[in-house]
Amino acid sequence: MTWNEMRPLLYDNTLDTLFMVWWSTFYAVLIGIPVGILLHLTGRGAMLQNAVVFKALGTLVNVGRSFPFLILIVVLIPFTRLVVGVSIGPTGAVVPLVIAAIPFFARLVESALREVDHGLVEAAQAMGGGTWTIVFKVLLPQALPALVAAVTTTVITLVGYSAIAGAVGGGGLGNLAYTYGYQQYETTLMITTVVELIVLVTLVQLLGDLVVRRLTRRGTRTSSPRVGLRRARTEEPAAATEAA
């Protein structure tokens, strides 16, 4: 197969892969962030501690993370057809990709929120901050670099999952590598597809690392959790003296 013959195939299937990864990442982040927040808030010693909710949601997330993706695609065929009308192609692959990515990303969100300095949360509570104020004004801003890193990891994972989906009719570069590179022995096309996937993953990782570094530097220039905690503690006695 000549380059002129490969070029349109690579172009179309690259767009299919980007389509699958983009929309699956979008919905995974949209749903995974609330799930991760709920896991964090209902955990032991958290603001909304609830053992029943935490265990039920944690079990669901663990089951979703441990389910082999190839089997998940097959199991979800009726549901995928019900949701999007098709069970194959890039559109059909988005549904299992989203369902596979949500529990994975939710756990990363929970871990990112857990790393936020608890002293800052206590300071916000001492100043009268409610649960959702603390979530949106303290937890999420402080965990933003880790959340961006979580999104980066999820995107890279979804690139790999999309290749698996392509091999079973999902389209994209995985389908191209399997149909032409493996079944028709087009070694050049196979190598080109692999190199393109490597380049795509590398670019995503570099971009994610760049954003994380900038967010970390900006957070360091403002105020650290410990500085905010000391400030809150010094302001409390002053307010009490004025009130007296």
Side-chain angles (χ1 to χ4, degrees), residues 7-181:
R7 186 166 54 187
L9 291 173
L10 288 169
Y11 179 77
D12 292 340
N13 285 276
T14 299
L15 290 182
D16 288 343
T17 294
L18 294 177
F19 172 86
M20 289 187 286
V21 173
W22 166 258
W23 284 111
S24 56
T25 302
F26 174 79
Y27 287 113
V29 171
L30 186 67
I31 302 172
I33 286 181
V35 174
I37 291 173
L38 190 58
L39 280 169
H40 176 71
L41 293 179
T42 56
R44 180 179 299 178
M47 290 176 285
L48 301 178
Q49 179 175 333
N50 189 312
V52 175
V53 174
F54 179 77
K55 289 181 179 179
L57 192 58
T59 301
L60 189 62
V61 167
N62 289 338
V63 170
R65 291 177 63 195
S66 61
F67 218 96
F69 182 66
L70 189 59
I71 298 176
L72 183 66
I73 296 176
V74 177
V75 171
L76 289 176
I77 286 177
F79 178 73
T80 301
R81 189 179 292 115
L82 178 65
V83 173
V84 296
V86 295
S87 60
I88 59 174
T91 302
V94 168
V95 175
L97 285 171
V98 170
I99 293 177
I102 288 173
F104 177 81
F105 182 68
R107 279 299 185 194
L108 294 178
V109 171
E110 182 195 12
S111 298
L113 297 179
R114 194 186 300 125
E115 295 301 317
V116 175
D117 194 325
H118 192 64
L120 185 59
V121 176
E122 292 177 346
Q125 288 175 323
M127 290 184 288
T131 299
W132 298 111
T133 299
I134 293 172
V135 169
F136 290 107
K137 298 295 184 180
V138 179
L139 290 176
L140 290 179
Q142 290 295 323
L144 190 56
L147 292 175
V148 173
V151 172
T152 303
T153 303
T154 303
V155 171
I156 292 173
T157 301
L158 286 171
V159 171
Y161 281 175
S162 70
I164 298 175
V168 291
L173 293 173
N175 178 68
L176 183 64
Y178 180 74
T179 303
Y180 289 88

Side-chain angles (χ1 to χ4, degrees), residues 198-211:
I198 293 172
V199 170
L200 179 59
V201 168
T202 302
L203 290 176
V204 171
Q205 187 66 64
L206 290 175
L207 179 61
D209 290 344
L210 176 63
V211 175

